[in-house]
Amino acid sequence: MSRICVIGTGYVGLVTGACFADLGNTVVCLDVDETRINRLKSGIMPIYEPGLEQIVDQNVRHGRLSFTTDYPEALKNAEFAFIAVGTPSGVDGEADLQYVRQAAESIADLVEWPIIVVNKSTVPVGTGDWVAEVITRRRNGRPLDFNVVSNPEFLREGSAILDFMSPDRVVLGSLHREAAEKVARLYLSLRCPIMITDLRTAEMVKYASNAFLATRISFINEIANICEELGADVREVARGMGLDKRIGPSFLDAGLGWGGSCFPKDVKALAHMAVLHGTHPQLLQAVMDINRNQRRRVVVKLRRALGTLDQKVIGVLGLSFKPNTDDIREAPALEVIHLLENEGASVRAYDPQAMQAAASVLPRVRLCETAYEVAEGADGLLLATEWNEFKQLDFGIIRQTMRTPIIMDSRNLWDGEQLRAMGFTYFSIGRGSKTNGHTQG
Ligand code: NAD
Ligand code: UGA
């Protein structure tokens, strides 16, 4: 079993650390955020992620997993240093590598034994080479036996543990096959395909995968908008398409578009890389444009239904960028709320997990305790995130307490016919009326 240091204890670092510990390795998770580490030491998770607390707790108790802010302690005798720090968008959409640089420099300063540096953060193509240069430069002539391996992470928030433990594939890239094979051994017990390739190709697999998934979503959203005009139902269209094995059913849910900490920044960063190197990423630009418009369309629908949004009360259900996470980074709900507030609406909202995170970024929004409180007295009710608890709401109560019974189902969660029969004006995404031949939206 191996000794692993994981640098950065966010979604990726914490899940990686906990899962490698669970596979029997000794793992030290390091972060520069003292509050985060102190809380983790007391068993408090910094994020909401199903199954995480249990796996952390179990492995801490067995002595395989520990947390620290102390670099020397974390790196001591480590055979592998996984870099899992954030790579946020810089001013021009490029990936900001300052945290990766800090991590690489700390490794260069503190390690005096053979080590494999594994890049798990999503980093621009060429970063693996750059990390090796940063380390070599920092050593200033002092020799160090090290290799860099790219190991992009493909987990999704909300199912991160499951994704880590049962991945579709593990991708490893290195100029040194032996180093990549050593990292591959850490994953052997997962019994999944392991692809070993060169550094730059591995880095590109990550960007291309995220960009492709975002493209599928923008594609189906564009089809949804056409469906609305032509009287077709996008859910059925997606089902019919997905039955084709070459297409497959995943990532064809039309809605408010993609958000989260990765798709927006990664598509932007890939487009930036492309422009910088003289290519013209037209498709990526269109994918981003469609996504932006998708949020605007629901606001337009509400405005048209109400005549104006000024002084109207709009209730928003769901704030996290997707269900089963408390992450609100680039959440579609936040942008929609911003647009609604700009037009003079007063917004109230509820989310099963993201209320604490939302409180600091939504100062003007009234945060409610339940979905029913959100609906009470509202002129419109907008579903932004399809949490399970919103699937079976009592619309009888909601119908009685809303001031104007307008529903904007931006995730196609509810039965429109039933709601219309109850007296609601119901809008959804890409579900044109079959009887009229054209649009109910
Ligand atoms: P995050 O923001 O949740 O966590 C990053 C952590 O790194 C923070 O806790 C921060 O304090 C810490 N950190 C920053 N500088 C540090 C340093 N010098 N030393 C030690 N710790 C430091 O980020 P995340 O969502 O876990 O993403 C990490 C990387 O993984 C990003 O590149 C992201 O694109 C990629 N990724 C994320 C996901 C996801 O679902 N969130 C999935 C796949 C890949
Ligand atoms: C995504 C990828 O799925 C992961 O493989 C990748 O590792 C990760 O980004 C990353 O690089 O960080 P994540 O952002 O956690 O994972 O969540 P997804 O399930 O991919 O959803 C992203 C966004 O797309 C959400 O806002 C979701 O609501 C939206 N979405 C997803 C749709 O609108 N329609 C769909 O059919 C699927």
Side-chain angles (χ1 to χ4, degrees), residues 12 122 153-159 163 169 206 209-210 213 217 220-221 249-266 291 295 320-323 330-332 384-386 411:
V12 170
T122 303
E153 179 53 62
F154 300 102
L155 64 78
R156 291 161 299 172
E157 293 181 19
S159 54
D163 287 347
R169 79 302 208 186
K206 174 64 194 173
S209 300
N210 271 4
L213 292 170
I217 301 168
I220 201 66
N221 281 331
S250 312
F251 277 72
L252 288 178
D253 289 331
L256 264 190
W258 36 274
S261 67
C262 291
F263 282 178
K265 88 171 165 58
D266 292 347
N291 203 49
R295 282 101 154 111
S320 56
F321 81 95
K322 62 182 270 191
E330 301 269 346
T385 317
E386 68 281 29
R411 297 287 181 180

Side-chain angles (χ1 to χ4, degrees), residues 331-344:
L334 300 194
E335 201 179 331
V336 169
I337 289 172
H338 178 71
L339 293 170
L340 290 168
E341 287 184 332
N342 267 356
E343 296 200 30

